């Protein structure tokens, strides 16, 4: 019979062999050979940058083909890809964009970059995506777009969102930063909205070091996004016809900035790395899905534990594997955050690499809570741009109960350094063993935690 003394936290034998962990991104012998070949190509050409450089254009073409879209634009980050998507969609100062309260901050930051105002809505409790039922109530005459997020690699419920966007004349832009290869009804995410953005940051399923990709099927949106990526210049597809490798830094650009723009291009080496990793993307995703299936079968038998759910017609690439916790199923009454943090500590001692990854809704972060924005100049009062140019928007956290409940009562198994899609099956089995071991002893752990302060208190 398991007792708290068996826990590694108190001197017992850890359930997980930590040496089995595989660090991400994987750079095995095949990847090393491919990278060396790519590096050699780049060195021999002597071309390191430029929107028409060979590695960059090859990455754009290969990723567009992988998704089944017409156009892809490589950028220096996923945030930049989101920003140029919003710029291309015509989002501007004082406009509002509806987006979920649960995401990485870059989703909402990209809206601010256009001097537009993010309007947050709560999430679906089971799949963590923006709740379509809450969108209509958030629409105002200033609403210009919808920015749903495929959270943790699971395709979100896009169909009703697309219908809402069409009804209200809104542009829908997919934040697919965590969802390379996920599908909805057999079609890859990133192909449903007017535009979509992916991240190539090192922790992502498609790891390029740093970088991003903006995709679309619409030629005019592509041209506008490309212009925003490059100083607002009038970039035309015909420019590529005059491109010469031996004069890569010259070209025939008109150097005529016709609108606001940025320098969001990526570089040849990052593109070469991303091309190498793209070749193993499906294999990595399939490995993550197999590990997730194994864990799900084991964990869902534990009272009070809800592993990630993938609804019919959708797939997930499990960029994150988030587990929900309900200690009341064990007869325990304790604050959700205490349960979460106690479990996290005990799992770590067992050798499980688990993380929280976000502890508050995006609108709860200081930037949004205090509406600092642009132009506040360090003053303690007032709001910054764009909020000072728009209609009042409330970020009262009471509007996002499902997001708060999720973040207080869940944790992510595996981490960005050791993600689920890189790990061997035996490690997933050991994670399930460790979780079952710790969860079954949670009541004793919490009781011990409650006694600890009293035991340490000095005698009076």
């Amino acid at each position: 019979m398991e007792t708290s003394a068996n826990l590694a936290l108190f001197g017992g034998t850890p359930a997980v062999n930590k040496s089995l962990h595989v660090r991400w991104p994987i750079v095995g012998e095949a990847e090393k050979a491919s990278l060396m070949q790519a590096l050699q190509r780049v060195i021999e050409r002597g071309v390191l940058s430029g929107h028409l450089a060979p590695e960059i254009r090859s990455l754009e073409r290969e990723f567009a083909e992988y998704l089944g879209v017409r156009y892809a634009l490589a950028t220096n980050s996923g945030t930049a890809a989101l920003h140029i998507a919003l710029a291309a969609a015509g989002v501007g100062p004082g406009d509002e964009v509806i987006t979920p309260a649960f995401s990485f901050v870059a989703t909402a930051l990209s809206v601010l970059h256009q001097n537009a105002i993010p309007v947050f809505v709560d999430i679906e409790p089971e799949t963590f995506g923006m709740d379509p039922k809450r969108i209509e109530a958030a629409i105002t005459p200033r609403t210009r777009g919808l920015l749903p997020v495929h959270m943790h690699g699971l395709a979100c419920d896009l169909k009703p969102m697309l219908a809402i966007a069409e009804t209200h004349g809104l542009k829908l832009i997919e934040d697919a930063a965590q969802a390379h290869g996920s599908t909805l009804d057999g079609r890859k995410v990133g192909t449903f909205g007017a535009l979509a953005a992916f991240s190539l940051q090192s922790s992502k399923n498609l790891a390029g070091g740093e970088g991003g990709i903006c995709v679309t099927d619409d030629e005019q949106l592509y041209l506008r996004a490309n212009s925003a990526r490059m100083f607002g210049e009038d970039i035309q597809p015909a420019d590529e016809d005059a491109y010469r490798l031996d004069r890569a830094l010259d070209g025939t650009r008109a150097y005529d900035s016709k609108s606001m723009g940025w320098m969001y291009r990526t570089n040849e080496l990052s593109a070469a790395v991303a091309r190498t990793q793209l070749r193993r993307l499906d294999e990595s995703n399939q490995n993550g899905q197999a590990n997730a299936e194994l864990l799900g079968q084991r964990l869902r038998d534990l009272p009070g534990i809800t592993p990630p759910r993938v609804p019919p017609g959708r797939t997930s690439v499990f960029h994150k594997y988030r587990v929900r916790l309900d200690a009341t199923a064990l007869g325990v009454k304790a604050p959700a955050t205490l349960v979460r943090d106690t479990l996290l500590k005990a799992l770590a001692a067992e050798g499980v690499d688990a993380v929280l990854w976000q502890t508050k809704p995006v609108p709860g972060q200081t930037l949004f809570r205090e509406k600092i924005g642009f132009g506040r100049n360090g003053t303690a009062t007032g709001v910054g741009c764009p909020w000072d140019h728009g209609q009042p928007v409330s970020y009262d956290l009471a509007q996002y109960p499902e997001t708060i409940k999720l973040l207080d009562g869940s944790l992510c198994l595996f981490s960005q350094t050791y993600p689920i899609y890189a790990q061997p099956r035996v490690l997933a089995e050991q994670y399930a063993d460790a979780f079952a071991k710790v969860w079954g002893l949670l009541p004793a752990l919490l009781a011990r935690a409650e006694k600890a302060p009293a035991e340490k208190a000095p005698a009076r």
Side-chain angles (χ1 to χ4, degrees):
M1 178 180 177
E2 293 277 11
T3 68
S4 59
N6 298 128
L7 292 173
L9 193 63
F10 306 122
T13 302
V16 174
N17 179 355
K18 295 178 72 173
S19 68
L20 293 174
H21 284 102
V22 176
R23 187 182 178 90
W24 185 260
I26 295 173
V27 185
E29 291 306 314
E31 287 77 23
K32 288 177 184 177
S34 183
L35 282 171
M36 290 304 296
Q37 292 170 6
L39 180 61
Q40 189 67 30
R41 292 196 305 270
V42 173
I43 292 172
E44 288 177 355
R45 292 189 194 113
V47 178
L48 299 179
S49 63
H51 71 294
L52 296 174
E55 296 296 325
I56 292 169
R57 289 296 288 128
S58 294
L59 171 63
E60 291 172 340
R61 293 188 181 105
E62 289 165 9
F63 193 69
E65 181 179 1
Y66 175 79
L67 288 184
V69 296
R70 293 177 65 192
Y71 305 107
L73 291 166
T75 61
N76 57 16
S77 71
T79 310
L82 274 174
H83 185 189
I84 64 172
L86 288 161
V91 172
D95 290 340
E96 295 176 357
V97 176
I98 297 173
T99 196
F102 176 44
S103 181
F104 182 61
V105 69
T107 307
L109 276 178
S110 65
V111 178
L112 292 185
H113 291 336
Q114 276 300 99
N115 277 310
I117 298 171
V119 174
F120 299 100
V121 300
D122 210 358
I123 60 169
E124 295 178 307
E126 289 191 334
T127 61
F128 320 148
M130 184 161 67
D131 189 342
K133 297 187 296 296
R134 299 175 184 268
I135 292 175
E136 292 272 6
I139 294 175
T140 75
R142 288 175 173 264
T143 305
R144 192 62 176 266
L146 305 182
L147 184 54
V149 182
H150 301 292
M151 282 304 303
H152 295 350
L154 172 62
C156 66
D157 194 6
L158 282 180
K159 289 181 181 178
M161 298 185 202
L162 289 165
I164 292 169
E166 184 175 1
T167 298
H168 293 273
L170 307 174
K171 285 286 194 296
L172 187 144
I173 299 166
E174 299 174 65
D175 182 342
Q178 300 182 351
H180 319 71
S182 294
T183 62
L184 173 62
D185 293 336
R187 179 174 159 188
K188 288 187 174 71
V189 303
T191 66
F192 290 87
L195 303 106
F198 293 81
S199 171
L200 303 180
Q201 188 265 343
S202 292
S203 72
K204 300 303 189 292
N205 298 49
L206 177 55
E210 295 287 358
I213 304 181
C214 176
V215 301
T216 184
D217 269 326
D218 187 300
E219 183 177 15
Q220 290 306 309
L221 293 177
Y222 161 72
L223 291 173
R224 291 203 287 268
N226 200 5
S227 178
R229 179 180 69 156
M230 278 188 57
F231 314 107
E233 291 183 12
D234 184 18
I235 307 297
Q236 295 296 324
D239 295 344
E240 192 163 7
D241 296 336
Y243 181 76
R244 291 171 49 184
L245 278 177
D246 61 332
R247 300 295 298 270
L249 296 179
D250 298 317
T252 60
R253 286 163 51 195
Y255 289 96
D256 182 13
S257 292
K258 294 188 173 182
S259 62
M260 279 294 296
W262 294 262
M263 212 308 275
Y264 280 162
R265 298 192 310 249
T266 188
N267 63 79
E268 281 289 84
L269 291 175
S270 293
V273 171
R275 291 183 68 199
T276 297
Q277 292 295 321
L278 179 58
R279 298 185 189 109
R280 66 168 301 121
L281 176 59
D282 286 341
E283 178 187 345
S284 297
N285 286 344
Q286 289 163 10
N287 187 57
Q289 288 163 342
N291 281 335
E293 176 64 22
L294 184 158
L295 274 169
Q297 290 176 357
R298 295 280 305 275
L299 297 184
R300 68 174 58 98
D301 290 336
L302 301 177
I305 296 301
T306 305
R309 177 176 176 266
V310 179
R314 305 194 222 174
T315 64
S316 176
V317 296
F318 295 100
H319 177 66
K320 298 280 188 293
Y321 189 90
R322 184 173 291 273
V323 178
R324 301 197 71 154
L325 319 167
D326 179 10
T328 62
L330 299 176
V332 172
K333 291 184 178 180
T337 53
L338 177 61
V339 171
R340 178 198 70 192
D341 295 345
T342 300
L343 182 66
L344 188 69
K345 185 177 179 180
L347 285 173
E350 296 294 336
V352 172
D353 204 49
V355 296
L356 296 182
W357 198 82
Q358 311 293 318
T359 56
K360 62 177 67 174
V362 176
Q365 297 192 31
T366 303
L367 168 64
F368 301 97
R369 191 180 68 250
E370 298 184 11
K371 297 178 180 173
I372 293 170
F374 304 100
R376 190 160 136 177
N377 296 322
T379 61
T381 60
V383 299
C385 183
W387 292 283
D388 60 348
H389 285 74
Q391 295 298 311
V393 175
S394 170
Y395 293 150
D396 183 352
L397 295 188
Q399 300 172 101
Y400 321 113
E402 294 296 346
T403 300
I404 293 171
K405 185 177 180 181
L406 173 70
L407 294 175
D408 286 353
S410 68
L411 52 77
C412 296
L413 296 182
F414 302 96
S415 67
Q416 299 193 151
T417 302
Y418 302 112
I420 191 171
Y421 39 86
Q423 308 313 316
R425 208 76 69 246
V426 63
L427 188 67
E429 287 278 14
Q430 291 182 7
Y431 268 43
D433 293 340
F435 201 102
K437 174 184 177 183
V438 173
W439 186 249
L441 294 170
L442 184 70
L445 268 174
L446 290 170
R448 189 162 181 161
E450 288 177 359
K451 290 179 182 178
E455 291 171 355
K456 294 179 181 178
R460 294 183 181 274

